[in-house]
Amino acid sequence: MRMTRYATLATLAAGLALGAGARAQDTVKIGLILPMTGPFASTGKQVEAAVRLYIARNGGTAAGKKIEVILKDDTGVQPETTKRLAQELIVQDKVAILAGFGLTPLARATAPVATEAKVPMIVMAAGTSIITNDSPFILRTSFTLAQSASVIAAWAAKSNIKKVFTIVSDFAPGIDGENSFKSGFAPSGGTIVGELRTPLQNPDFAPFLQRAKDAAPDAVFVFLPSGQGAAFMKQFAERGLAGAGIKLIGPGDVTDDDILNGMGQPAIGTITAHFYSAAHDSKENKAYVEAFEKANAGMRPNFMSVGGYDGMHLIYETLKKTGGKVDGMAFVDAAKGMTWTSPRGPVKIEPDTRDITQNIYIRKVENVGGKLYNVEFDKVEMVKDPGKK
Ligand code: PHB
């Protein structure tokens, strides 16, 4: 009698342990690291909202596995913080995939963690070319500055813009943007009449804009990280650059959909090249914008959000190919070459670089029915990152 009771308890305990084990194996945990507070919080909010939207629209399981997202706020400024959070997510939370990464220095600092732990790392936001070289476990669903800057350089060269003054934020993507613009614009006969780099944190653009105005260029090329465009636009108008007939061009970060509508008159006419506009005319994008705005009152999806949304798509579709398994390199290999139609248009994960190939659209800020949008008027199809060595 006693024996039976013990046996029953033991069986029950074993059963419980098995149940817990089976449950853990039935879940794919994704460690999502984003700047949810601090100067780049708009990126974190956009990417998180899109990740949640993808799950809401596609279900909480993929290939029979429950998808669990563990969100960590790295506050966006300290690479060591992002790296530590990644280590904790892997060791303590046992995440199978790392994702997010709002800024280049944060992604780069974390790359060795992905390599050492053999954990796939989906870069959903940061945009310098070198990031994908930092670890064979990195896949990117955002963009590169070289994609956008090379396209606006070619457009400027054939649009009667002869003299350009460049202003970029003084960190890796700004430098990538500046170099790509110069190497596309100068060989086509353009002249760079001045180049300045603004501090990443709390920039005061006035003195930079004054120097740009004094150089009397046809256009100012500007790169600022997502979120900083409004202050720049205001000062561009106040300093009289627009009044002096100086055009404003650049990658589309400066006319970020998250804040574009609030920029008002000074933003109108800005011409940028970029991979996503909330005004992109496709059925996939109309459905995306509508669902995003419904789920996030008062927010318009920007380019960062689409990196998050497509990052989730890549995870879901790759899990379907691996039968729900995430064993490091096999997962990365299964993701290589994937193509799909994103809200931004057609995209592909290049098998050799693990980076994203996509259309780059040329857009002009216009007032559409009382709201400001980046209205696409031309495109270069399926641009591979030109910054890969
Ligand atoms: C980056 O850090 O790579 C970055 C940040 C903001 C942007 C683009 C790139 O808008």
Side-chain angles (χ1 to χ4, degrees):
M1 187 63 202
R2 271 190 105 86
M3 280 301 291
T4 316
R5 199 160 68 99
Y6 282 134
T8 309
L9 279 178
T11 314
L12 190 67
L16 280 177
L18 247 181
R23 271 198 297 283
Q25 278 171 14
D26 284 345
T27 300
V28 172
K29 289 190 189 176
I30 302 168
L32 182 63
I33 313 178
L34 290 168
M36 300 307 298
T37 56
F40 307 102
S42 71
T43 294
K45 290 187 182 133
Q46 286 274 345
V47 174
E48 190 208 354
V51 165
R52 306 255 179 244
L53 180 64
Y54 190 89
I55 296 171
R57 291 181 83 195
N58 295 277
T61 59
K65 303 275 170 158
K66 184 175 180 303
I67 303 296
E68 183 184 336
V69 173
I70 303 175
L71 176 66
K72 298 282 176 189
D73 174 13
D74 65 9
T75 74
V77 283
Q78 270 298 340
E80 283 309 310
T81 304
T82 313
K83 182 178 181 181
R84 176 180 52 75
L85 289 172
Q87 280 161 339
E88 288 172 8
L89 281 163
I90 291 169
V91 174
Q92 288 162 24
D93 298 294
K94 311 256 182 291
V95 302
I97 297 170
L98 292 169
F101 307 103
L103 293 106
T104 290
L106 314 179
R108 298 204 68 190
T110 310
V113 177
T115 304
E116 202 182 314
K118 301 188 170 28
V119 165
M121 171 170 161
I122 319 293
V123 175
M124 295 173 157
T128 49
S129 292
I130 200 167
I131 291 174
T132 47
N133 293 347
D134 285 343
S135 168
F137 290 89
I138 291 181
L139 296 154
R140 173 156 41 199
T141 55
S142 49
F143 79 117
T144 71
L145 267 305
Q147 287 175 321
S148 291
S150 64
V151 168
I152 199 69
W155 179 84
K158 67 169 199 220
S159 304
N160 216 21
I161 291 176
K162 308 228 176 299
K163 292 188 289 177
V164 170
F165 195 103
T166 63
I167 301 180
V168 300
S169 191
D170 192 7
F171 76 128
I175 292 154
D176 261 17
E178 180 193 282
N179 287 335
S180 309
F181 182 80
K182 286 198 291 196
S183 59
F185 185 60
S188 321
T191 308
I192 304 292
V193 294
E195 32 186 299
L196 289 174
R197 296 177 181 176
T198 60
L200 175 59
Q201 307 257 19
N202 306 313
D204 171 13
F205 301 115
F208 297 90
L209 285 166
Q210 191 57 49
R211 285 180 60 188
K213 188 181 177 196
D214 293 345
D218 299 318
V220 166
F221 167 93
V222 66
F223 164 78
L224 299 172
S226 177
Q228 288 188 353
F232 184 89
M233 280 301 173
K234 192 163 169 277
Q235 293 185 5
F236 191 85
E238 280 172 8
R239 290 268 138 187
L241 280 87
I246 300 170
K247 292 190 174 64
L248 188 60
I249 61 173
D253 309 70
V254 72
T255 57
D256 177 354
D257 270 302
D258 189 59
I259 50 174
L260 175 60
N261 195 44
M263 293 181 196
Q265 186 65 28
I268 290 180
T270 305
I271 295 186
T272 57
H274 220 40
F275 64 97
Y276 180 70
S277 163
H280 177 66
D281 189 10
S282 72
K283 70 174 192 317
E284 291 82 8
N285 188 48
K286 284 205 173 72
Y288 176 67
V289 173
E290 197 184 303
F292 188 100
E293 291 184 343
K294 201 166 156 208
N296 303 280
M299 260 171 102
R300 181 196 288 182
N302 74 355
F303 62 93
M304 292 297 191
S305 81
V306 179
Y309 196 78
D310 285 333
M312 289 307 288
H313 182 83
L314 183 64
I315 292 171
Y316 271 53
E317 292 306 310
T318 305
L319 285 172
K320 288 179 194 168
K321 287 180 74 177
T322 61
K325 287 206 215 34
V326 191
D327 37 17
M329 197 43 89
F331 182 90
V332 174
D333 284 341
K336 290 177 182 173
M338 188 94 75
T339 60
W340 68 97
T341 305
S342 153
R344 69 183 100 176
V347 297
K348 176 180 182 192
I349 300 298
E350 289 299 332
D352 51 340
T353 61
R354 292 160 279 103
D355 217 335
I356 191 158
T357 290
Q358 57 193 328
N359 293 349
I360 298 295
Y361 306 88
I362 306 172
R363 316 93 50 85
K364 186 176 190 176
V365 177
E366 290 177 14
N367 184 327
V368 183
K371 291 192 177 144
L372 299 193
Y373 280 99
N374 293 294
V375 177
E376 296 168 354
F377 62 89
D378 204 353
K379 69 178 169 202
V380 181
E381 285 183 27
M382 296 310 267
V383 179
K384 277 193 195 185
D385 175 26
K388 290 281 178 292
K389 303 268 164 355

